Amino acid sequence: MATMTHAESRAERAKRVPMLVKESLWAATSHPATAGDASALFDKLMAVHQSKGKSHMLYKREHDLHIFHYGQAVQTTARWTPELLLARGLVFRKDSGGTSVVAMPWPKFFNLGEDGISVEELEAAAVGGRVEATSKMDGSLGLLFHHDGAWRVTTKGSFASDQGVWATAWLRKHVDTTALTAGVTYLVEIIYPANKIVIPYTFSALVLLSAFDTAGRELERRELEEVAEASRLAPTAEPEPEPEADVNAVYGTVGAGGSGLSLPALHEADNLEELMEKVNGWPGSEREGVVVRFVFPSGASHRVKIKGAAYSHLHRFKDGFTAKKVHDAASKGGAKALEAMRLELPEEFLAEFDAIVREIDAACTAALRDIGAQWELAERSLLNGKASGTGGLTKKSLAQWTQRHTTWRDGTAISDAFRACMFSSFMLWELCPGAVVPVQPGAWETLEPRDRRMLLGYVLPTLARPGLNEKKSKTKQQPKPKAAAAGAADADPALLAPGEEWVEVQVTSSGEVSAATKAEKKRAKKLRQKAKKKKAQQQLRQAAAEPA
């Protein structure tokens, strides 16, 4: 089976995900984990773990409890199945009495647009229902549930994570657990200063995000508010320290800083565009974004994440993700290196990563098409329209023409892309019979490593992106042999070596001198060195001729 290019695998992901989400989740009016046989669901998830390992399924066991969480490879390659969408920290109890689900998180949901479902489609599906937006907290997702006579908190992929241990201890000290109902799974965000992701929170809390009862029904906001209010501890002789007055206003919470469970704040807007504008205006050191829930008339719902621009920038800086790293991977390893890099990326950067790869693909495709067209011009210029072959167009004749001319015989400029790649193995040389210039999208990924590096060596400097090419476009003066084009009559002759004159050379936005001028700079340098050597020899002769 042939290896897919990155563009092809991306297209496959784009088709698979929206169809799967709609088929698996849009028809479910309760949590899908409660819809079928728990034992069969357990067996399917365990089979993935045993056959593909932790890259596809993380699995932990603690006595009779078992937890499943999809692996990084599933997320970054979108190899989703209906079962894997549910494995976001799904907890089973399995013993002699059978298998049951004891804690159920939300099914997997995506950043806005990453699931391939448009805003218009979501808004249309929610007509007759409602749309809710709550603060997205920058902590760790915890599952709060009752087991063996006690309440405990576990994180998505572990029973004994630092965050889960901290949350269980905080729960027992600061929450009135009589407000909680056994059998209900409470989804909480674990927040404390030592658990910093990006935002430096100044308080500790368990923020109640949602809950599912034993039948899989998701509790409404009103019910969550009742639980949070009832979970506050009664006043004691020693009052709790007063929280900062503005902590909830700053971080988008309700009831944070005291005892009991707090809540994420609700956010209202006339439409999603207005909400996104509002979110993008938030400071990234205080707010991550929002989670938007589209509730359909049937009772089914669909969630998306919207992260603020400032938060995303801080997160990118923290994780060291830059366009330059993507460019380096493309240049060094092509499609395989890009896929390997994508497998390691946090979910937040996948959309930007794909956008960078699309940009590389488009630029490479355009360059290859230009090279193909330039080759035809080269044949007409050097062979008067005859086809190249034995005794025809040679590398030597092409090199001589491009060194002496800036245009082909018809006046068309010799492009920088052609100059950079004219000796690649995919060109139509007599030593490579049957070779063609590949011009289809994604073709650059299939080139030989040497040819790929040669092409990307030309293309990548032209792709100016923040954090990669910081230099601005400018014009600077460079010396050039007299044979070069005129146009700098006002230059100061005193600054020139013998045989030189000034000429303006355009510099690209990346700060790179174009390939068309590099050879001229090299010749100018040799001329200066020759003049300098000649002057030194003259000085030596004059010194020798002077009387002692």
Side-chain angles (χ1 to χ4, degrees), residues 103-116:
M104 56 190 94
W106 289 309
K108 167 66 181 174
F109 63 94
F110 300 82
N111 291 305
L112 180 64
E114 286 185 1
D115 54 12

Side-chain angles (χ1 to χ4, degrees), residues 151 175-182 184 186 208 219 223 226-232 261:
W151 288 97
V175 176
D176 182 356
T177 56
T178 61
L180 307 178
T181 303
V184 175
Y186 299 93
L208 181 58
L219 272 60
E223 296 174 280
E226 292 172 355
V227 172
E229 181 62 32
S231 70
R232 305 195 188 288
L261 301 173

Side-chain angles (χ1 to χ4, degrees), residues 139 152 272 295 435 456 464:
R152 63 179 299 176
L272 204 57
V295 183
L456 291 172

Side-chain angles (χ1 to χ4, degrees), residues 106-160:
W106 289 309
K108 167 66 181 174
F109 63 94
F110 300 82
N111 291 305
L112 180 64
E114 286 185 1
D115 54 12
I117 301 174
S118 68
V119 172
E120 293 76 16
E121 191 171 1
L122 288 171
E123 290 178 334
V127 171
R130 66 184 187 280
V131 180
E132 300 174 348
T134 55
S135 297
K136 187 177 189 315
M137 307 307 297
D138 186 39
S140 302
L141 178 63
L143 306 179
L144 168 57
F145 63 99
H146 193 266
H147 178 67
D148 280 352
W151 288 97
R152 63 179 299 176
V153 182
T154 183
T155 50
K156 293 185 295 183
S158 173
F159 290 113

Side-chain angles (χ1 to χ4, degrees), residues 151 156 168 170 205 215 224 250 272 329 398 412 444 452 535-536:
W151 288 97
K156 293 185 295 183
T168 300
W170 195 90
L224 298 179
V250 169
L272 204 57
L398 184 61
T412 302
W444 67 274
R452 183 182 65 245
K535 184 177 181 181

Side-chain angles (χ1 to χ4, degrees), residues 166-495:
W166 180 92
T168 300
W170 195 90
L171 173 81
R172 292 171 179 171
K173 185 177 180 180
H174 297 283
V175 176
D176 182 356
T177 56
T178 61
L180 307 178
T181 303
V184 175
T185 303
Y186 299 93
L187 279 63
V188 296
E189 193 84 4
I190 303 170
I191 291 176
Y192 56 101
N195 188 39
K196 177 186 173 184
I197 311 301
V198 173
I199 298 175
Y201 288 117
T202 59
F203 64 94
S204 298
L206 295 181
V207 182
L208 181 58
L209 307 175
S210 187
F212 291 95
D213 67 15
T214 53
R217 181 185 69 88
E218 185 165 6
L219 272 60
E220 300 297 334
R221 174 75 181 196
R222 173 187 52 79
E223 296 174 280
L224 298 179
E225 291 172 348
E226 292 172 355
V227 172
E229 181 62 32
S231 70
R232 305 195 188 288
L233 296 175
T236 61
E238 275 185 43
E240 295 180 344
E242 287 293 326
E244 296 179 23
D246 61 349
V247 65
N248 291 292
V250 169
Y251 297 111
T253 52
V254 177
S259 68
L261 301 173
S262 51
L263 294 163
L266 287 168
H267 302 279
E268 295 183 356
D270 291 337
N271 51 59
L272 204 57
E273 183 178 352
E274 180 182 315
L275 178 63
M276 291 171 67
E277 184 177 349
K278 181 179 179 181
V279 169
N280 283 327
W282 289 345
S285 59
E286 297 173 357
R287 303 283 187 95
E288 177 177 350
V290 292
V291 173
V292 183
R293 182 188 180 204
F294 296 85
V295 183
F296 307 147
S298 66
S301 63
H302 182 95
R303 278 183 169 83
V304 295
K305 296 176 279 188
I306 301 177
K307 299 187 179 183
Y311 174 88
S312 298
H313 175 76
L314 290 176
H315 201 172
R316 185 184 303 107
F317 179 78
K318 170 182 172 288
D319 287 353
F321 173 71
T322 64
K324 185 178 186 307
K325 289 188 176 181
V326 182
H327 289 186
D328 289 345
S331 182
K332 294 175 182 177
K336 288 185 178 180
L338 289 173
E339 285 297 333
M341 182 178 183
R342 198 178 193 280
L343 284 173
E344 299 298 324
L345 280 180
E347 180 184 15
E348 289 75 12
F349 304 138
L350 295 180
E352 184 176 357
F353 175 89
D354 288 341
I356 294 171
V357 174
R358 285 196 296 271
E359 184 181 51
I360 295 172
D361 182 62
C364 286
T365 301
L368 288 170
R369 288 174 178 168
D370 173 72
I371 292 167
Q374 288 267 316
W375 180 265
E376 295 179 4
L377 294 172
E379 287 186 317
R380 289 199 291 269
S381 296
L382 276 70
L383 301 177
N384 293 321
K386 297 178 182 178
S388 60
T390 303
L393 186 58
T394 64
K395 293 182 179 180
K396 181 178 180 180
S397 63
L398 184 61
Q400 290 174 340
W401 180 277
T402 55
Q403 287 174 0
R404 296 171 181 172
H405 302 82
T406 59
T407 65
W408 300 115
R409 197 177 296 277
D410 67 351
T412 302
I414 302 174
S415 71
D416 288 349
F418 185 82
R419 288 183 182 275
C421 301
M422 61 184 179
F423 298 128
S424 299
S425 61
F426 57 77
M427 302 298 281
L428 311 179
W429 299 107
E430 56 182 335
L431 299 178
C432 306
V436 295
V437 178
V439 296
Q440 68 274 20
W444 67 274
E445 296 179 1
T446 65
L447 299 179
E448 294 295 325
R450 173 182 173 275
D451 295 335
R452 183 182 65 245
R453 288 192 293 270
M454 191 179 296
L455 176 64
L456 291 172
Y458 159 74
V459 166
L460 296 182
T462 70
L463 302 179
R465 296 182 64 88
L468 176 67
N469 300 319
E470 300 294 344
K471 298 180 182 179
K472 296 182 179 179
S473 179
K474 59 184 178 180
T475 300
K476 66 180 180 182
Q477 300 281 358
Q478 294 288 348
K480 183 179 179 180
K482 281 186 176 179
D490 297 331
D492 185 356
L495 299 177

Side-chain angles (χ1 to χ4, degrees), residues 15-26 78-85 110 115 117:
K15 292 177 182 178
R16 183 192 313 117
V17 174
M19 179 178 65
L20 182 63
V21 168
K22 291 176 184 178
E23 291 178 352
S24 302
L25 305 180
W26 281 27
R79 300 292 179 184
W80 298 104
T81 65
E83 296 77 27
L84 288 173
L85 287 171
F110 300 82
D115 54 12
I117 301 174

